[in-house]
Amino acid sequence: MPRGNCQGQGWWHGKFKGCGYRLTAGREAILDILSKSEGHLSAEDIYMKIHSRYPNVGLTTIYRTLEVLSNLGMVHKLDFGDRRARYELAEGPEGAHHHHHLVCTDCNKVVDYTDFIDEEVELLRETEKGLGAKYNFQITNHVIQFYGLCGKCSGKK
Amino acid sequence: MPRGNCQGQGWWHGKFKGCGYRLTAGREAILDILSKSEGHLSAEDIYMKIHSRYPNVGLTTIYRTLEVLSNLGMVHKLDFGDRRARYELAEGPEGAHHHHHLVCTDCNKVVDYTDFIDEEVELLRETEKGLGAKYNFQITNHVIQFYGLCGKCSGKK
DNA sequence: TCTGATAATGGAAATGGTTTTCACTAACTA
DNA sequence: TAGTTAGTGAAAACCATTTCCATTATCAGA
Ligand SMILES: [Mn+2]
Ligand SMILES: [Mn+2]
Ligand SMILES: [Zn+2]
Ligand SMILES: [Zn+2]
């Protein structure tokens, strides 16, 4: 069965099977954690959350599963400058909720925002089209992050 | 003498001294390399380029200097998803030339683009203002990267 | 339902970019 | 010129992630 760009419809049971991946306890546990917790978890965050309920899921499996999920487009792998990858579900059962990030360079607080997306989305679409044509790139996604100091940190002086 | 947000005018001799940093052979060498080579060098890239002419500059110094330069805002530290930081000069002697990046997820080719910046810049300014106010963030910079397949890689199939 | 092929797993070891340590050197100020 | 101390190189430590490999579990097909 084919691997790779298997982004179909439905939720993840079918998605997994449809792509020829086996459905294991570890994978279910990871997806369960991801859909329950609000985003931006590191592999180890997930490991610790899982470990209490499924003590026999290893950290290696977390990494491997996250890579699979990322390849399937079910999970976004994020980098906020501390040197550990963070992960968030790309879309829940009821569909995507695309957003961008606001990162405090001091305390690493991360804010999801969608407020300005409406206008952004327009320009982004055009930009992607224009860039794709000009540089012969097939653009699949983008990262937009704003960095600065959160209220608490800029107040600290 | 004060360290930190010492982003004055002029070029780097003055900038360095003005911030209380000593001017050393290693630092000059690193800035020299950075201003001669076109962007996106890793610490080790720089190390190797420097090593032929200044064999006694260690990799540790490269890292340390890059961190200083980054804090001074003279260098941008970039992350393109391979797991090594890359660096580019924020501005040359004749001023800044802000740009964003287009990254091939297959061969890691990176394209600098400025083409669409004009329209982007407008929206970004507004967005920064809006986000800053709404979330009480003091936004200092942003990262915009588009990911996809370059012509060569999407052709390969 | 049983079974074989093999995908998936976990623990330990390896990897590799970056950081830390520490004794030594060199830049700068007075 | 001398003293203070920022800066340095080499080696060791760090630590998130990957690789290895022997073992286990999933699941398509019988
Ligand atoms: Mn998010
Ligand atoms: Mn660039
Ligand atoms: Zn903060
Ligand atoms: Zn490519």
Side-chain angles (χ1 to χ4, degrees):
Chain A
M1 288 190 189
R3 291 282 166 96
N5 294 343
C6 283
Q7 315 192 29
Q9 69 308 306
W11 187 223
W12 53 276
H13 283 84
K15 219 162 192 174
F16 250 96
K17 308 292 281 293
C19 294
Y21 289 104
R22 293 181 183 175
L23 212 38
T24 68
R27 287 175 174 174
E28 300 219 62
I30 291 166
L31 276 160
D32 188 49
I33 295 296
L34 280 173
S35 46
K36 277 174 184 156
S37 339
E38 293 291 296
H40 317 146
L41 287 74
S42 68
E44 190 149 9
D45 289 340
I46 297 170
Y47 177 66
M48 290 188 304
K49 277 176 186 279
I50 281 185
H51 200 261
S52 53
R53 206 176 325 174
Y54 309 78
N56 46 350
V57 173
L59 184 55
T60 311
T61 290
I62 312 273
Y63 278 109
R64 278 187 292 228
T65 298
L66 287 170
E67 164 137 35
V68 168
L69 292 173
S70 179
N71 290 341
L72 289 177
M74 296 168 68
V75 152
H76 291 140
K77 185 177 183 178
L78 307 169
D79 166 53
F80 295 133
D82 59 344
R83 69 188 37 271
R84 62 211 312 141
R86 302 193 168 265
Y87 302 85
E88 70 181 5
L89 222 44
E91 47 186 305
E94 59 276 341
H97 53 95
H98 186 67
H99 62 267
H100 296 154
H101 293 118
L102 206 51
V103 185
C104 177
T105 49
D106 200 48
C107 69
N108 292 320
K109 174 181 176 179
V110 176
V111 173
D112 293 349
Y113 77 88
T114 52
D115 316 64
F116 299 87
I117 285 275
D118 288 349
E119 304 140 55
E120 274 179 51
V121 111
E122 180 61 23
L123 183 75
L124 283 176
R125 208 193 318 276
E126 276 179 48
T127 304
E128 287 195 2
K129 197 183 299 181
L131 286 175
K134 169 145 189 179
Y135 297 106
N136 193 26
F137 255 73
Q138 200 173 303
I139 296 174
T140 54
N141 63 313
H142 59 254
V143 168
I144 299 190
Q145 288 171 191
F146 291 91
Y147 291 90
L149 294 176
C150 73
K152 209 167 285 180
C153 291
S154 67
K156 260 189 324 215
K157 171 60 189 64
Chain B
M1 287 186 188
R3 290 282 166 93
N5 294 343
C6 284
Q7 314 192 31
Q9 68 311 308
W11 187 222
W12 53 276
H13 284 82
K15 219 162 193 174
F16 251 94
K17 308 292 280 292
C19 294
Y21 288 104
R22 294 180 181 176
L23 213 39
T24 67
R27 287 174 174 176
E28 299 221 61
I30 291 165
L31 275 160
D32 188 50
I33 294 296
L34 279 173
S35 46
K36 277 172 180 154
S37 340
E38 292 292 297
H40 317 147
L41 288 74
S42 67
E44 192 149 9
D45 290 340
I46 297 170
Y47 176 66
M48 292 190 301
K49 278 177 187 280
I50 280 185
H51 200 261
S52 53
R53 206 176 323 173
Y54 308 79
N56 46 351
V57 173
L59 183 55
T60 311
T61 291
I62 312 275
Y63 277 109
R64 278 189 289 229
T65 299
L66 287 170
E67 165 137 33
V68 169
L69 293 173
S70 180
N71 289 342
L72 288 177
M74 296 168 68
V75 152
H76 290 140
K77 185 176 182 179
L78 306 169
D79 166 52
F80 295 134
D82 59 345
R83 68 187 41 269
R84 64 212 310 144
R86 301 193 168 266
Y87 301 85
E88 70 182 4
L89 222 44
E91 46 186 305
E94 59 275 341
H97 54 91
H98 185 68
H99 64 267
H100 296 155
H101 294 117
L102 206 51
V103 184
C104 177
T105 49
D106 200 49
C107 69
N108 291 321
K109 174 180 177 179
V110 176
V111 173
D112 291 349
Y113 77 88
T114 51
D115 315 65
F116 300 86
I117 286 277
D118 286 349
E119 304 142 55
E120 275 179 49
V121 113
E122 180 61 23
L123 183 75
L124 283 176
R125 207 191 321 273
E126 276 178 50
T127 304
E128 287 195 4
K129 195 182 301 180
L131 286 175
K134 170 143 188 177
Y135 297 108
N136 193 25
F137 255 74
Q138 200 174 303
I139 296 174
T140 55
N141 64 313
H142 59 253
V143 168
I144 298 190
Q145 288 172 190
F146 291 92
Y147 292 89
L149 294 175
C150 73
K152 209 167 283 179
C153 291
S154 68
K156 264 193 316 218
K157 174 54 189 57

